[in-house]
Amino acid sequence: MKHLKVKKIMKRIILLILLIMSLSVAGCSAQNGNSTADNLEITFFKIGSADSILLSDGSQTVLIDTGEEEDGEEIIDYLESESIETIDYLVITHFDKDHVGGADTVLNEVDVQNVLVPDYETDSTDYQEFLTAMEDNNLAPTVLTKKLSFSNSSASFTIYPPELSSYESDNDYSLVVSVEHGENRFLFAGDAEAVRLEELMNQLDGEYTLLKVPHHGRYSENSTDFFTKVSPEYAIITSSDKNKEEVVVVSALEKLGTTVYLTREGNVQVISDGETIQVTQ
C-alpha cells in the first residue's frame, strides 16, 4: 500500500512539474509574440512630383528625402503634429531639387542625428544650401560607397548605393532603401532609371510587400522587368497633377496584381504590424 501511495505522489509531482513547465513555455511564447514587431508607420507626403517619406516605429525615425525648398515647412509641421523631435537617419537619395530641396529647413529645425548621401556632388543652389545647413549644424554626411545596414527595435534597413562612379543621369546615383519589418518588406527606389534598375535587379533578393516606384512613375526600358522581380502587393507613385505618372507604368504594375496609390491624390499612410499592412489615403 505504501508503495502505491508513493507512486501516486510521484506521479502527481511529475504532472505538476510538467504543468509548470508548459505554463512557463506558453508565457515565453506569448511574450515573444507581443514583441515580434512594434508597428511601423510610413507616410508618403503629397508634395507634388517630389519625394519625402517618413518612417517611424516609435523608437526611431527615418526620413527619406525632403521634397523641394517649399516643402520643408510642411514636413516640419507634420513632425510637430506627431511630436517627433529627432530624426535618427536622414537619407538623401540624390541631389535633385525635388529630393534635397527641403533639407536645409529640416536640418535647421529638427535634431538630425545621421545624414546619408550618395557619392557625387553638384553645383545646384539646393545642394549648396544643404551643405551650408549641414555645416551650421556641425554635421558631416556619411557618403555611401558600400551597402549599409542598421536596425531599430523592430525593423532592419539596408541602403544600396550605386555601383558605378559615374552616370549620365543624376537619377542613377540614387540610394535605394530596403526595409524589413517582420514578414513585410518595403523598397524605396529613389529616381532610379534603366542603368540603376539593372543594378538593383542584381542586388536585390526576393519580392516586396510595397514599392515606392522610381522616378515618379516614369517608364524605363526595363521597368516591367524590375516590377516583375520585385512583384509588390502595393505601389506608391509620387506624382502631381502637372507631372502625372505614365499610364504604361500603372498598367504594368496592375497586370502583376499590384494595388497602386498616387500621392497627387493625397498623403498615403501605411501601417505595418509585421504580418499585415494597412494602406489608407
Side-chain angles (χ1 to χ4, degrees):
M1 288 289 291
K2 287 183 179 179
H3 183 66
L4 286 173
K5 285 183 178 180
V6 170
K7 285 185 70 177
K8 286 182 177 179
I9 292 170
M10 289 301 296
K11 186 175 180 181
R12 287 175 181 175
I13 291 172
I14 291 171
L15 288 172
L16 181 61
I17 291 171
L18 289 173
L19 177 62
I20 292 170
M21 289 177 65
S22 66
L23 288 172
S24 176
V25 170
C28 289
S29 297
Q31 185 177 13
N32 288 340
N34 289 336
S35 62
T36 299
D38 297 324
N39 282 352
L40 176 67
E41 299 186 9
I42 307 172
T43 301
F44 296 81
F45 291 104
K46 178 190 177 183
I47 49 174
S49 185
D51 275 17
S52 187
I53 304 145
L54 183 71
L55 301 91
S56 180
D57 72 342
S59 70
Q60 191 176 78
T61 298
V62 176
L63 182 64
I64 303 174
D65 289 329
T66 59
E68 297 195 25
E69 177 70 37
E70 62 270 20
D71 301 320
E73 287 299 337
E74 182 175 338
I75 295 167
I76 293 300
D77 289 345
Y78 185 85
L79 294 174
E80 290 178 351
S81 73
E82 295 295 311
S83 300
I84 295 173
E85 298 178 351
T86 299
I87 294 173
D88 297 277
Y89 288 90
L90 170 60
V91 181
I92 303 296
T93 60
H94 62 297
F95 300 128
D96 284 359
K97 67 177 183 177
D98 55 327
H99 294 256
V100 74
D104 57 329
T105 301
V106 172
L107 288 163
N108 288 329
E109 298 196 31
V110 181
D111 177 25
V112 178
Q113 297 290 307
N114 302 280
V115 182
L116 309 178
V117 300
D119 187 17
Y120 81 107
E121 297 178 349
T122 181
D123 58 1
S124 72
T125 300
D126 292 288
Y127 176 67
Q128 296 304 319
E129 290 177 348
F130 161 67
L131 293 181
T132 299
M134 290 286 291
E135 184 176 349
D136 290 345
N137 289 280
N138 299 314
L139 288 168
T142 300
V143 179
L144 296 189
T145 57
K146 295 182 179 179
K147 182 173 69 174
L148 174 71
S149 296
F150 61 88
S151 298
N152 59 22
S153 63
S154 65
S156 59
F157 293 73
T158 303
I159 303 181
Y160 296 90
E163 294 183 340
L164 303 179
S165 59
S166 179
Y167 296 87
E168 289 185 12
S169 169
D170 281 6
N171 291 326
D172 280 331
Y173 286 100
S174 290
L175 299 179
V176 172
V177 183
S178 174
V179 181
E180 297 196 7
H181 182 248
E183 297 175 7
N184 294 325
R185 305 181 78 213
F186 305 89
L187 187 66
F188 306 88
D191 273 359
E193 296 184 22
V195 176
R196 188 78 178 93
L197 291 179
E198 195 65 36
E199 292 178 0
L200 288 171
M201 284 189 278
N202 293 322
Q203 288 176 320
L204 301 173
D205 292 320
E207 299 177 350
Y208 281 82
T209 313
L210 183 146
L211 169 68
K212 199 294 292 188
V213 176
H215 202 197
H216 314 291
R218 288 170 176 76
Y219 191 79
S220 293
E221 60 191 41
N222 51 359
S223 290
T224 298
D225 292 339
F226 175 70
F227 297 152
T228 300
K229 179 175 177 63
V230 174
S231 191
E233 295 177 36
Y234 301 91
I236 315 296
I237 300 178
T238 53
S239 61
S240 67
D241 290 335
K242 182 179 178 181
N243 297 298
K244 292 183 178 181
E245 66 291 337
E246 294 186 21
V247 174
V248 63
V249 168
V250 176
S251 176
L253 286 163
E254 289 181 341
K255 284 180 180 177
L256 294 171
T258 303
T259 302
V260 180
Y261 290 85
L262 313 171
T263 59
R264 64 184 175 87
E265 297 176 351
N267 283 5
V268 179
Q269 302 280 159
V270 178
I271 299 177
S272 165
D273 64 6
E275 295 181 356
T276 61
I277 70 170
Q278 178 183 351
V279 185
T280 58
Q281 187 170 40

